[in-house]
Amino acid sequence: NAGVTQTPKFRVLKTGQSMTLLCAQDMNHEYMYWYRQDPGMGLRLIHYSVGEGTTAKGEVPDGYNVSRLKKQNFLLGLESAAPSQTSVYFCASSPVLAGETQYFGPGTRLLVL
Amino acid sequence: AQSVTQPDIHITVSEGASLELRCNYSYGATPYLFWYVQSPGQGLQLLLKYFSGDTLVQGIKGFEAEFKRSQSSFNLRKPSVHWSDAAEYFCAVASYDKVIFGPGTSLSVIP
């Protein structure tokens, strides 16, 4: 089992460019999440999904879009990147309820110039 | 609304000393509580969790945490810290569909 994987590991963008971060899990989990981590702010939830074909907004959704077309994949899109989106992005999944353990990917470092 | 506070941004302890990391939460119902650890450049790993029952919870790597409803606290403890425990520690509270993380406490260990 690979667990939760994230692609890419690191990316540099120019302001206004777009990109998609891919998260994949092989544990057949229903719930998937995207967080961003910034110094002193912990992890903040961007968007999440409670099942295939569903998405919902978290704490900081502005500037991001997500899709969950397949149960195992959760995509995070930045349509027009801004320097404020420079961060480390983590994907996580959990079996059913959010009260269950979340399993995290290794993270994607994004730098927006 | 749910929230989690971790009053200590950074803590330094000597190897072999005891450790307590503080966590306070705000949640209207019985909470699901977690402690996660993040080593440099890594994702988060679960240390322990509390759902119900015994208020003293044992976790991996010799960590334990105690749930105190009256104080809305879920403090993490370890009796003897090892150099490999140096990391970032996050407390979290969960509702039925999402988890809210605290800002984290960075732990440094002096050999």
Side-chain angles (χ1 to χ4, degrees), chain A residues 13-24:
Chain A
L13 289 179
K14 295 181 180 178
T15 297
Q17 288 185 318
S18 64
M19 77 164 293
T20 300
L21 282 68
L22 171 64
C23 175

Side-chain angles (χ1 to χ4, degrees), chain B:
Chain B
Q2 299 162 257
S3 67
V4 179
T5 57
Q6 294 180 246
D8 303 306
I9 296 173
H10 185 258
I11 286 181
T12 300
V13 300
S14 297
E15 193 169 15
S18 63
L19 172 70
E20 183 170 31
L21 302 182
R22 296 182 291 165
C23 171
N24 293 97
Y25 67 91
S26 174
Y27 187 61
T30 301
Y32 296 149
L33 295 163
F34 304 81
W35 275 100
Y36 285 85
V37 61
Q38 183 182 31
S39 297
Q42 304 291 319
L44 277 69
Q45 179 187 20
L46 180 73
L47 280 176
L48 48 78
K49 59 186 177 183
Y50 171 80
F51 287 174
S52 64
D54 193 346
T55 57
L56 186 62
V57 181
Q58 302 297 320
I60 62 172
K61 304 185 181 185
F63 284 92
E64 66 178 25
E66 186 171 13
F67 170 59
K68 293 185 178 180
R69 184 186 301 277
S70 61
Q71 299 177 18
S72 297
S73 69
F74 189 56
N75 293 349
L76 181 71
R77 301 193 293 247
K78 186 169 184 178
S80 178
V81 170
H82 189 262
W83 63 266
S84 61
D85 293 325
E88 189 92 15
Y89 292 81
F90 294 94
C91 182
V93 60
S95 64
Y96 73 96
D97 65 346
K98 55 182 178 288
V99 178
I100 302 297
F101 287 85
T105 296
S106 176
L107 175 66
S108 297
V109 180
I110 300 173

Side-chain angles (χ1 to χ4, degrees), chain A residues 78-90:
Chain A
L78 286 74
E79 291 186 348
S80 179
S84 61
Q85 293 177 305
T86 293
S87 187
V88 181
Y89 293 85
F90 287 98

